[in-house]
Amino acid sequence: MQDKNNRWILAAQCASRLGTVDVVTRFLKEQRCYITEQQSFDDRLSERFFIRTEFRPEDETFDADAFQSAFAERAADFAMSFELTAPETRIPVVIMVSKADHCLNDLLYRYRIGQLPIDIRAIVSNHPDLAPLAEWHGIPYRYLPITPQTKPEQEAQVWEEIEAAGAELVILARYMQVLSSSMCQKLTGKAINIHHSLLPGFKGARPYHQAYEKGVKLVGATAHYINDDLDEGPIITQGVEPVSHTDYPEDLVAKGRDVECLTLARAVTLHVERRVFLHANRTVVFDR
Amino acid sequence: MQDKNNRWILAAQCASRLGTVDVVTRFLKEQRCYITEQQSFDDRLSERFFIRTEFRPEDETFDADAFQSAFAERAADFAMSFELTAPETRIPVVIMVSKADHCLNDLLYRYRIGQLPIDIRAIVSNHPDLAPLAEWHGIPYRYLPITPQTKPEQEAQVWEEIEAAGAELVILARYMQVLSSSMCQKLTGKAINIHHSLLPGFKGARPYHQAYEKGVKLVGATAHYINDDLDEGPIITQGVEPVSHTDYPEDLVAKGRDVECLTLARAVTLHVERRVFLHANRTVVFDR
Amino acid sequence: MQDKNNRWILAAQCASRLGTVDVVTRFLKEQRCYITEQQSFDDRLSERFFIRTEFRPEDETFDADAFQSAFAERAADFAMSFELTAPETRIPVVIMVSKADHCLNDLLYRYRIGQLPIDIRAIVSNHPDLAPLAEWHGIPYRYLPITPQTKPEQEAQVWEEIEAAGAELVILARYMQVLSSSMCQKLTGKAINIHHSLLPGFKGARPYHQAYEKGVKLVGATAHYINDDLDEGPIITQGVEPVSHTDYPEDLVAKGRDVECLTLARAVTLHVERRVFLHANRTVVFDR
Amino acid sequence: MQDKNNRWILAAQCASRLGTVDVVTRFLKEQRCYITEQQSFDDRLSERFFIRTEFRPEDETFDADAFQSAFAERAADFAMSFELTAPETRIPVVIMVSKADHCLNDLLYRYRIGQLPIDIRAIVSNHPDLAPLAEWHGIPYRYLPITPQTKPEQEAQVWEEIEAAGAELVILARYMQVLSSSMCQKLTGKAINIHHSLLPGFKGARPYHQAYEKGVKLVGATAHYINDDLDEGPIITQGVEPVSHTDYPEDLVAKGRDVECLTLARAVTLHVERRVFLHANRTVVFDR
């Protein structure tokens, strides 16, 4: 049986054109790479092509750098952007939190048991409350308080932490500060946020109270990439949970927590497995 | 074993006050009525009390009119409104449709197999298309075309049909006309509508196209009572279905159909079993 | 924008080996076929490769026969079996029923609105009850009664109907007769059955009554291919619905009906879109 | 507005008879107790009555002991068993684990944030592995190793811990030892177990591997009370999660973990809120 852990991932996208799949798969064949799972999709409305390939080199002498250089030439003909991910890659991550710890606890648990292939370099927060949880897991915790006056300075410090950590992904695990537009831009496609999703949508403060007033029968959560419009970036995945009239606002919040945890963990998993492709304001998700 | 079909339902509501349950249950005991299922709820925010009781008279001489008269006196002390529903009651219903027939087909199927305890007196439509379906099920079909100019007249005709049918419930099974404010008022709490529910919410035309643009990962449906604000009345129940990037707008519409059918049928069932209580803009639903 | 209806499907499988994807995609490129959606999977436990490709020929002169002949040569090197499906293909289908009509009604509705790309040639039943429903939809209905004594003859007649109809798929939409082993063998991989699925599983008669006794909180349905073991063939898809203590056996049956309809319709859709691959006793389903 | 925390719960059951609801609600009225939520159900097959009442005494002088004594007299006429639970009651709990920590971690998180009204007195395990997790949460951890030879002694020690803790509930959070019949009897109705639930059911070792072989499309979990038949006790609640052919046995296990956590936490919540009634081998669950 094959070694399931020798799993490389090649993810690519470009404008739709004849031969987009072939340029990838022919190259892999030539390189004696065995494709174990592949999905491609061509969006006929945006005329954009997306492909994700998991493969296993047949030869032990496989050279990733040489592979990339050689493939770059082929991809250039299609103006195709691509990314190669080595087996066992754990992408460097910074998690940002405020006071609520349900998403953080859930992520740290999955991290600890090896279910999330990430490397959590630091936890950044505008509150000191969650430091003990971070400490127990042995992860550095940066307390960076914020006030309206110090926001630019604080964001600069946050950015410094992200850069110092070499983070390729920032997870906003209930970070309750609105990021500035410039911060959002720096994080475009590199930061995943989780927020409540209610039917119908409720704008403004205390959404669960509004949902209670309205008598909703479902509470949901949306995990999405950050873009300029903080709560409206491209959607990665969504979840829901039924509720009833016996659920007061605080109960909706509690049920919302479970959905938020699962939805955020799912989004992070999809992202780190390179299953999410971003184009314009939409995602293509090659889900399992 | 008890006769499961000898099932009376008493539904009542009033302002919260000590003794609201007792006034109901003591009376039932005195009347030698056996309670088979009961739910009560007291909303601490609106300070409103709701109760639904299923019971079986122990005596064959049970007299519903006498029961009601006698209970009305007790209820008066609590300013309690109530409704008594006899076993095997099939409430008179008018269904309104346009061209889409998925909800109608689903309702008629459930009706035909005896799953919905309603009596469909007429199907009213602003299009002739669904007449054959109605005919096959042996239900009168009223084609009442509408134009912006004839809207008041058409609504008057619709209302006439509803009155002629003695309808206690109107089901808007994808009736694609906006009802006038006065029509909505006449139908307050007596008409159930179904409409798509998307996360986030999309206003305006072609919501599924907007949802596609946004890349939503769930489509949903909300069944609600009509009030002045056509698409925003009190929610009865909601459903969702997962979707993906491979779903083009027409696919979202197709998946939306399944959710709409199930959600509408569920709402009608809850209503006719007297499980839904309306107060202000919210519902209390004593679901099974 | 591309014509979404010009969609050919190539589905193939063979033993795992380097180059399995390439042999397909290189050929498509050579034939100037544009791949709009593709999924491949290599099962590392059974060492078996599966691929499904949707494509659109770029040239109007596309010749399906020539395509197949040419590809057959390439496929031979890999002992790869394959199937090419033309756009707008509606595979010939025979539906088998007994007295329960919920699945039949659901399938006929979807068929009527064009949601199921099938061609229902006949409905075969061991009871006359559902003839009117078939008639309304304009589909021939064959009443073939069965007794323990006449079983071989009846099955022979059923098979005749299937052959006369040129059926490529038989849908057992609550056909309540156990098929003989020889009939099962003839239908292997060509017939889809739906049956209840309960947690834990209940063998024998009146499963919903057993489930009630046990107090299950979920009822489910499994759609699967027929094989020798009638209720245990390879699973295509499964669904569930929550239930409670207030659900008596007849209520479980009613809720089971909704799940059965949706699950069977989903399985048929997956099958006709060539998304289901059968190998040994398992399926690979390239779901949307 | 009412004080939501002043919530007493009265739960009772007896054989079906006229007046069962009245005996409860009339007494509460007499005692000037305001009913905020009530559910009753009369199972017509087993002819058994169940009631759960949440109430708030209107008078500050409410005396629980006097209430119980007085109600015991009334209840005696109906051979009604009952239980009164004071507000803010945190029932003493012992959790039993082996090596897998997903359920324990989930329960401890909910416990820490105050979502589970229990008092975890001790964690008992046949392995030392999870001691650090217990320690971080400040909960005593008893390592009681077991071998086939020492099983009776170990179970005696476990029982001692349960008694010493005054535990009213034992949670088997993936405790991987089969309890002896005598232990099961001692824990009847007082211990909640979680185990995988697969469609169809798989007996014996490595159920997820069997499920993989079978190609199931759903994995589930069942939370149930312990009785003599360890994995077959009365069901409290069940959950499911979709899976696909890309899920290898280890993936099924991972997805199973999420369902197990949520299902167990839900069962514990239902139990401690006195929403679960046990009679014979079934439960009545007055869910929210």
Side-chain angles (χ1 to χ4, degrees):
Chain A
M1 203 179 70
Q2 316 155 12
D3 174 7
K4 71 175 175 173
N5 295 319
N6 187 14
R7 187 181 70 164
W8 293 76
I9 300 169
L10 180 65
Q13 63 167 288
C14 63
S16 297
R17 206 183 109 192
L18 183 65
T20 47
V21 178
D22 179 62
V23 76
V24 172
T25 53
R26 186 186 298 235
F27 182 79
L28 286 166
K29 167 75 186 315
E30 290 168 6
Q31 300 284 319
R32 296 186 43 76
C33 294
Y34 189 82
I35 297 171
T36 51
E37 194 180 327
Q38 177 169 294
Q39 285 174 286
S40 77
F41 178 70
D42 199 89
D43 184 2
R44 71 168 186 265
L45 297 187
S46 67
E47 303 203 325
R48 188 95 191 154
F49 165 79
F50 307 87
I51 189 166
R52 178 184 183 277
T53 300
E54 292 190 10
F55 66 90
R56 180 188 71 234
E58 296 277 281
D59 302 332
E60 291 191 8
T61 58
F62 179 75
D63 176 340
D65 290 338
F67 180 99
Q68 294 203 69
S69 303
F71 185 62
E73 284 181 38
R74 307 270 182 105
D77 294 340
F78 287 76
M80 180 184 277
S81 63
F82 71 93
E83 188 172 25
L84 180 70
T85 306
E88 315 282 339
T89 296
R90 307 175 76 81
I91 68 168
V93 164
V94 162
I95 299 179
M96 294 179 70
V97 293
S98 290
K99 287 180 168 180
D101 64 354
H102 54 287
C103 285
L104 180 63
N105 182 73
D106 184 75
L107 290 171
L108 291 179
Y109 173 72
R110 293 173 198 272
Y111 177 62
R112 180 160 63 79
I113 66 168
Q115 196 184 308
L116 281 182
I118 57 177
D119 178 10
I120 305 178
R121 298 277 174 88
I123 295 166
V124 170
S125 180
N126 57 327
H127 290 285
D129 308 51
L130 306 186
L133 183 58
E135 188 186 1
W136 190 73
H137 286 272
I139 296 166
Y141 188 86
R142 308 293 179 218
Y143 166 40
L144 300 175
I146 188 171
T147 66
Q149 288 71 39
T150 64
K151 183 162 180 162
E153 290 80 355
Q154 195 257 14
E155 284 200 344
Q157 288 173 304
V158 169
W159 184 249
E160 224 166 79
E161 290 291 341
I162 292 169
E163 296 236 291
E168 292 172 24
L169 176 68
V170 173
I171 304 173
L172 301 176
R174 306 297 291 154
Y175 181 68
M176 304 306 284
Q177 290 291 318
V178 177
L179 299 180
S180 68
S181 176
S182 70
M183 190 71 170
C184 283
Q185 274 170 34
K186 283 196 253 187
L187 291 173
T188 292
K190 291 182 51 179
I192 296 175
N193 188 31
I194 182 76
H195 75 98
H196 58 81
S197 261
L198 299 159
L199 291 161
F202 299 100
K203 298 284 183 191
R206 310 222 307 167
Y208 285 108
H209 284 75
Q210 292 185 60
Y212 169 81
E213 291 295 334
K214 182 74 189 172
V216 298
K217 307 303 182 195
L218 290 173
V219 296
T222 295
H224 64 95
Y225 286 118
I226 289 293
N227 67 4
D228 276 25
D229 189 355
L230 186 59
D231 283 349
E232 296 282 336
I235 298 170
I236 301 169
T237 189
Q238 300 183 298
V240 285
E241 182 80 2
V243 297
S244 82
H245 62 270
T246 65
D247 290 300
Y248 287 101
E250 63 270 24
D251 303 313
L252 299 185
V253 169
K255 293 194 174 176
R257 276 198 295 263
D258 280 352
V259 192
E260 288 170 6
C261 288
L262 287 173
T263 305
L264 179 57
R266 179 165 185 76
V268 171
T269 302
L270 291 168
H271 176 91
V272 298
E273 291 186 349
R274 307 299 186 199
R275 294 181 181 278
V276 191
F277 294 74
L278 189 56
H279 178 63
N281 202 36
R282 299 179 70 233
T283 60
V284 164
V285 180
F286 289 134
D287 207 344
R288 303 179 57 176
Chain B
M1 201 177 73
Q2 317 155 11
D3 174 8
K4 72 175 174 174
N5 295 319
N6 185 14
R7 188 181 67 165
W8 294 75
I9 300 170
L10 180 64
Q13 63 168 287
C14 64
S16 298
R17 204 182 111 193
L18 183 64
T20 47
V21 177
D22 179 61
V23 76
V24 172
T25 53
R26 185 186 299 233
F27 182 78
L28 286 165
K29 167 74 185 317
E30 290 168 8
Q31 300 283 319
R32 295 188 44 77
C33 293
Y34 189 83
I35 297 172
T36 51
E37 195 180 326
Q38 177 168 294
Q39 285 175 287
S40 77
F41 179 69
D42 199 272
D43 184 0
R44 71 169 185 265
L45 297 187
S46 66
E47 303 202 326
R48 188 94 190 154
F49 166 78
F50 308 88
I51 189 166
R52 178 185 184 276
T53 301
E54 291 189 10
F55 67 89
R56 181 188 72 235
E58 296 278 281
D59 303 332
E60 292 191 6
T61 58
F62 180 75
D63 176 340
D65 290 338
F67 179 99
Q68 294 202 68
S69 303
F71 185 63
E73 283 181 38
R74 308 271 181 105
D77 295 342
F78 287 78
M80 181 184 277
S81 62
F82 71 93
E83 189 172 24
L84 180 70
T85 306
E88 315 283 338
T89 296
R90 304 174 77 81
I91 69 169
V93 163
V94 163
I95 300 180
M96 296 179 69
V97 294
S98 289
K99 289 180 167 180
D101 64 353
H102 54 287
C103 285
L104 180 63
N105 181 72
D106 183 76
L107 290 171
L108 291 180
Y109 173 72
R110 293 174 198 271
Y111 177 61
R112 179 160 64 78
I113 66 168
Q115 196 184 306
L116 280 182
I118 57 177
D119 178 10
I120 305 178
R121 298 276 174 90
I123 295 167
V124 171
S125 180
N126 57 327
H127 291 285
D129 309 51
L130 306 187
L133 183 59
E135 190 186 359
W136 191 73
H137 286 272
I139 296 166
Y141 188 86
R142 309 294 179 217
Y143 167 41
L144 300 175
I146 188 170
T147 66
Q149 288 72 38
T150 65
K151 183 162 180 160
E153 290 81 355
Q154 196 256 14
E155 285 200 343
Q157 289 173 304
V158 170
W159 184 247
E160 226 166 77
E161 290 291 342
I162 292 169
E163 296 236 292
E168 292 173 23
L169 176 67
V170 174
I171 304 173
L172 301 176
R174 303 300 291 153
Y175 180 68
M176 304 306 282
Q177 291 291 319
V178 176
L179 299 180
S180 68
S181 175
S182 69
M183 190 73 170
C184 283
Q185 274 170 31
K186 284 196 254 187
L187 292 173
T188 293
K190 292 182 50 179
I192 297 176
N193 187 32
I194 181 76
H195 75 98
H196 57 81
S197 261
L198 299 159
L199 292 160
F202 299 100
K203 297 284 184 191
R206 311 220 309 165
Y208 285 109
H209 285 76
Q210 290 185 60
Y212 169 82
E213 291 295 332
K214 181 72 188 176
V216 299
K217 306 304 182 195
L218 289 174
V219 295
T222 295
H224 64 95
Y225 286 118
I226 290 294
N227 66 4
D228 277 24
D229 188 355
L230 186 60
D231 283 349
E232 296 282 336
I235 298 168
I236 301 169
T237 187
Q238 302 183 295
V240 285
E241 181 81 1
V243 297
S244 82
H245 63 272
T246 66
D247 290 300
Y248 287 101
E250 63 270 24
D251 303 313
L252 299 186
V253 169
K255 293 194 173 175
R257 276 198 295 263
D258 281 351
V259 192
E260 287 170 7
C261 288
L262 287 174
T263 305
L264 180 57
R266 180 167 185 73
V268 171
T269 302
L270 291 168
H271 177 91
V272 298
E273 291 186 348
R274 308 297 187 200
R275 294 182 180 278
V276 191
F277 294 74
L278 190 55
H279 178 63
N281 202 35
R282 300 179 70 233
T283 61
V284 164
V285 181
F286 289 134
D287 207 343
R288 302 178 59 173
Chain C
M1 200 178 75
Q2 317 156 12
D3 174 7
K4 71 175 174 173
N5 295 320
N6 186 13
R7 186 183 69 164
W8 294 76
I9 301 170
L10 180 65
Q13 63 168 289
C14 63
S16 297
R17 203 182 111 193
L18 184 64
T20 47
V21 177
D22 179 61
V23 77
V24 173
T25 53
R26 186 187 299 235
F27 182 77
L28 286 165
K29 167 73 185 315
E30 290 169 7
Q31 300 283 320
R32 296 188 42 77
C33 294
Y34 190 83
I35 297 171
T36 52
E37 195 179 326
Q38 178 169 292
Q39 284 175 287
S40 77
F41 179 69
D42 199 272
D43 184 2
R44 71 169 186 264
L45 298 187
S46 65
E47 301 201 328
R48 187 94 191 154
F49 166 78
F50 308 87
I51 189 166
R52 179 186 183 276
T53 300
E54 292 188 11
F55 66 89
R56 181 188 69 236
E58 296 278 283
D59 301 333
E60 292 190 7
T61 59
F62 180 74
D63 177 339
D65 290 338
F67 179 99
Q68 294 202 70
S69 305
F71 186 61
E73 284 182 39
R74 306 272 180 104
D77 295 341
F78 287 78
M80 179 184 278
S81 64
F82 71 93
E83 189 172 24
L84 180 69
T85 307
E88 315 283 339
T89 296
R90 306 174 76 80
I91 69 169
V93 164
V94 163
I95 299 179
M96 295 180 69
V97 294
S98 291
K99 288 180 167 180
D101 65 352
H102 54 287
C103 285
L104 180 63
N105 182 72
D106 184 75
L107 290 171
L108 291 180
Y109 173 73
R110 292 174 199 271
Y111 177 61
R112 179 160 63 79
I113 65 168
Q115 196 184 306
L116 281 182
I118 57 179
D119 178 9
I120 304 177
R121 297 277 175 88
I123 295 167
V124 170
S125 180
N126 57 329
H127 291 285
D129 309 51
L130 307 187
L133 183 59
E135 188 186 0
W136 191 73
H137 285 273
I139 297 166
Y141 187 87
R142 309 294 180 217
Y143 166 41
L144 301 175
I146 188 169
T147 67
Q149 288 71 40
T150 64
K151 184 163 179 159
E153 291 79 357
Q154 195 255 16
E155 284 201 344
Q157 289 173 303
V158 169
W159 185 248
E160 226 166 77
E161 290 290 342
I162 292 169
E163 294 236 292
E168 292 174 23
L169 176 67
V170 174
I171 304 173
L172 300 176
R174 302 299 290 153
Y175 180 68
M176 304 306 283
Q177 291 291 319
V178 177
L179 299 180
S180 68
S181 176
S182 69
M183 190 72 170
C184 283
Q185 272 168 34
K186 284 196 253 187
L187 291 173
T188 292
K190 291 182 52 181
I192 296 175
N193 187 32
I194 181 76
H195 75 99
H196 58 81
S197 262
L198 298 160
L199 292 161
F202 299 101
K203 297 284 183 191
R206 312 220 307 166
Y208 286 109
H209 284 76
Q210 291 185 60
Y212 169 80
E213 290 296 333
K214 182 73 188 175
V216 299
K217 308 303 183 196
L218 289 174
V219 295
T222 295
H224 64 94
Y225 286 118
I226 289 294
N227 66 5
D228 276 24
D229 188 355
L230 185 60
D231 283 350
E232 296 282 337
I235 298 168
I236 302 169
T237 188
Q238 302 183 295
V240 285
E241 182 81 1
V243 297
S244 82
H245 62 272
T246 66
D247 290 300
Y248 287 101
E250 64 269 24
D251 303 313
L252 299 185
V253 169
K255 293 194 174 176
R257 276 198 295 263
D258 280 352
V259 192
E260 288 170 7
C261 288
L262 287 174
T263 306
L264 179 57
R266 180 167 184 74
V268 171
T269 302
L270 290 167
H271 177 91
V272 298
E273 291 185 350
R274 308 299 186 199
R275 294 183 179 277
V276 191
F277 293 75
L278 190 55
H279 178 64
N281 202 35
R282 298 179 72 232
T283 60
V284 163
V285 181
F286 289 134
D287 207 344
R288 302 178 58 174
Chain D
M1 202 177 73
Q2 316 155 10
D3 174 7
K4 71 175 175 175
N5 294 320
N6 187 14
R7 187 181 70 164
W8 293 77
I9 300 170
L10 180 64
Q13 64 167 287
C14 64
S16 297
R17 206 183 109 192
L18 183 65
T20 46
V21 177
D22 180 62
V23 75
V24 173
T25 54
R26 186 186 298 234
F27 182 78
L28 286 165
K29 167 76 185 316
E30 289 170 8
Q31 299 283 319
R32 296 186 45 76
C33 294
Y34 189 82
I35 298 172
T36 51
E37 195 180 325
Q38 177 169 294
Q39 285 174 286
S40 77
F41 178 70
D42 199 272
D43 185 1
R44 71 168 184 264
L45 298 186
S46 66
E47 302 202 327
R48 187 96 191 152
F49 165 79
F50 307 87
I51 189 166
R52 178 184 184 277
T53 300
E54 292 190 9
F55 66 89
R56 180 188 71 235
E58 295 279 280
D59 302 331
E60 292 192 6
T61 58
F62 180 76
D63 176 340
D65 290 337
F67 179 99
Q68 294 202 69
S69 304
F71 186 61
E73 283 181 37
R74 307 270 180 105
D77 295 340
F78 287 77
M80 181 184 277
S81 63
F82 71 92
E83 189 172 25
L84 179 70
T85 306
E88 316 282 338
T89 296
R90 307 175 76 81
I91 69 170
V93 164
V94 162
I95 300 179
M96 295 179 69
V97 293
S98 289
K99 288 180 168 181
D101 64 353
H102 54 288
C103 285
L104 180 63
N105 182 72
D106 184 75
L107 290 171
L108 291 180
Y109 173 72
R110 292 173 199 272
Y111 177 61
R112 179 161 62 78
I113 66 167
Q115 196 183 305
L116 281 181
I118 57 177
D119 177 10
I120 305 178
R121 297 279 174 87
I123 296 167
V124 170
S125 180
N126 57 328
H127 290 284
D129 308 51
L130 306 187
L133 183 58
E135 188 185 0
W136 191 72
H137 286 272
I139 297 167
Y141 187 87
R142 309 295 178 215
Y143 166 42
L144 301 174
I146 188 170
T147 67
Q149 289 72 38
T150 65
K151 183 161 178 159
E153 290 81 355
Q154 195 256 14
E155 284 199 345
Q157 290 174 303
V158 169
W159 184 247
E160 224 166 80
E161 289 291 341
I162 291 169
E163 296 236 291
E168 292 173 22
L169 176 67
V170 173
I171 304 173
L172 301 176
R174 305 298 290 153
Y175 180 68
M176 304 306 282
Q177 291 292 316
V178 177
L179 298 181
S180 69
S181 176
S182 69
M183 190 71 170
C184 283
Q185 273 169 33
K186 284 196 253 186
L187 291 173
T188 292
K190 291 181 50 179
I192 296 175
N193 188 31
I194 181 77
H195 75 98
H196 57 81
S197 260
L198 298 159
L199 290 161
F202 299 100
K203 298 283 181 190
R206 309 220 310 166
Y208 285 109
H209 284 76
Q210 291 185 60
Y212 169 82
E213 290 295 334
K214 182 71 189 175
V216 300
K217 308 303 181 195
L218 288 174
V219 295
T222 294
H224 63 95
Y225 286 118
I226 289 295
N227 66 5
D228 276 25
D229 189 355
L230 185 61
D231 283 348
E232 296 282 337
I235 299 169
I236 302 170
T237 188
Q238 301 183 296
V240 285
E241 181 81 2
V243 297
S244 81
H245 62 270
T246 65
D247 289 301
Y248 287 101
E250 62 270 25
D251 302 312
L252 299 185
V253 169
K255 292 193 174 176
R257 276 198 295 263
D258 280 350
V259 192
E260 288 170 7
C261 288
L262 286 173
T263 305
L264 180 57
R266 179 165 184 76
V268 171
T269 302
L270 290 167
H271 176 92
V272 297
E273 291 185 350
R274 307 299 186 199
R275 295 182 179 277
V276 191
F277 293 75
L278 189 56
H279 178 63
N281 202 35
R282 299 179 71 232
T283 61
V284 163
V285 181
F286 290 133
D287 207 343
R288 303 179 58 175

